[in-house]
Amino acid sequence: MNPAHVFRRSLAQRLFVLLALPAAGAVVSGCFFSSSCPETDDEPIAAERCFTWPPEDTGAGGSGGGSVDPLVCPSRQDAAVRLNDQFFAAHTVKSDGTLKNGQCCYATEFIPYCEGRPYLVDERARTAPALHGRGDGGWGAKASGGPDVSAIAPDLRAALAAEWTRDALFEHASVASFGRFALELLAAGAPAELVEEAHRAALDEVRHARLCFALASAYAGEPVRPGAFPFEGATEVVADLASIAARTAKEGCIGETIAAVIAAEQCAKAEDPAVAEVLAGIAADEAQHAELAWRTVAWAIRVGGERVRAAVEEVFAGLGHGAVLDAGGAGDPRLARHGRLAGAALSEAAARAMEEVVRPAAGMLLSARGEGVAAAASLSA
Ligand SMILES: [Fe+2]
Ligand SMILES: [Fe+2]
């Protein structure tokens, strides 16, 4: 059994045990590796996006519910919500919808949710800018040895530098995301254990960011560091438990679970030991972050009842079978042996994560029997 398969089974088992329901699977040993981002620049990807219209199960999984007009596409705002769920990316809808063969289609720009926990503002993932050649500001952690770049073609080195810079910026943004998450847990009156773990996770993300910036710098041949994070003077702290649970389901239960599973796929590909070492530490942490998210949602459902449960259910119901992460291109096949998945390989890994881990765990979380939720949420009141 290959390491990636073992990793998926193990993570699924951990989540099933966490949710206190029957599980089968092997105990994993060996590789734990990190998530990856699609091959892109820091710019959003422009593409036409479509979804089935009218929805097959009108009233379920949509935004707003109620009856729909089969001849009128949803507003740009509603379409963004649907597209974000369907393609697991942060979309900006740039045009009104057009009906085409039973689908509503829009011109969009999107950023895939790729690194564990994005910092979302109005459904868009936000990151700091990258600064090049101005010192590392302490962000370039001393990775042991660093990757061997001597035999890598210049264009591939540049591509790897861009990949790791992108990851580093998302890891850096995850620090902000966990910071906000911790504040929201406080606002919702969460148990101390969850608040403590959220802060610990933020420190993990600082470490991930430093390691990724170190790799980016090694491939770039110059220091790469983050600039100022664009909070723009406002950080919204939501206190509504249903909203917190829904966002945690999206960013954590789905996002960090997929991130951890993709890492295992990269495990099987990475050949440079220095890269593998970095990825190993990141992936193990991301799996723990996923567990924190599932536990948090379980607690929120137990405390908040049916309204919270319905909000979480809508998040999972919105994930149609099929594409869950669009990698936005074919990808460079040379990246794989350097521990980077791109293109179709990335999409397929995300799909496996959804089918083998996220959906079964979500089913257990939302089980009508409820004992799994109660057990997983057996935290101090
Ligand atoms: Fe991370
Ligand atoms: Fe994470």
Side-chain angles (χ1 to χ4, degrees), residues 86-164:
Q86 181 174 336
F87 292 100
F88 201 60
H91 288 80
T92 300
V93 177
K94 312 290 278 187
S95 73
D96 293 331
T98 304
L99 274 170
K100 295 182 182 178
N101 301 321
Q103 293 194 308
C104 280
C105 297
Y106 300 77
T108 74
E109 290 181 348
F110 66 92
I111 298 175
Y113 298 158
C114 45
E115 271 307 318
R117 195 180 195 97
Y119 186 86
L120 299 178
V121 178
D122 297 330
E123 296 293 322
R124 281 192 67 111
R126 188 174 285 189
T127 62
L131 304 180
H132 297 263
R134 296 194 224 166
D136 73 3
W139 284 100
K142 298 284 183 294
S144 56
D148 179 3
V149 300
S150 59
I152 302 176
D155 66 322
L156 180 56
R157 259 185 80 167
L160 289 166
E163 288 274 318
W164 284 107

Side-chain angles (χ1 to χ4, degrees), residues 35 115-117 170-171 174 178 201 204-205 208-209 256 282 285-286 289:
S35 63
E115 271 307 318
R117 195 180 195 97
F170 272 100
E171 296 284 7
S174 292
F178 271 112
D204 291 340
E205 304 297 5
H208 299 174
E256 301 216 72
I282 290 176
D285 292 341
E286 298 299 355
H289 298 173

Side-chain angles (χ1 to χ4, degrees), residues 268-336:
K269 308 285 185 187
E271 294 179 4
D272 190 309
V275 174
E277 183 181 340
V278 169
L279 292 171
I282 290 176
D285 292 341
E286 298 299 355
Q288 288 190 337
H289 298 173
E291 290 183 274
L292 170 60
W294 288 96
R295 292 177 63 231
T296 300
V297 173
W299 163 78
I301 290 173
R302 181 173 70 87
V303 171
E306 187 52 37
R307 192 174 72 87
V308 174
R309 187 181 184 286
V312 171
E313 193 164 27
E314 183 172 335
V315 170
F316 290 115
L319 293 168
H321 290 270
V324 295
L325 186 152
D326 190 316
D332 185 338
R334 297 177 300 167
L335 294 171

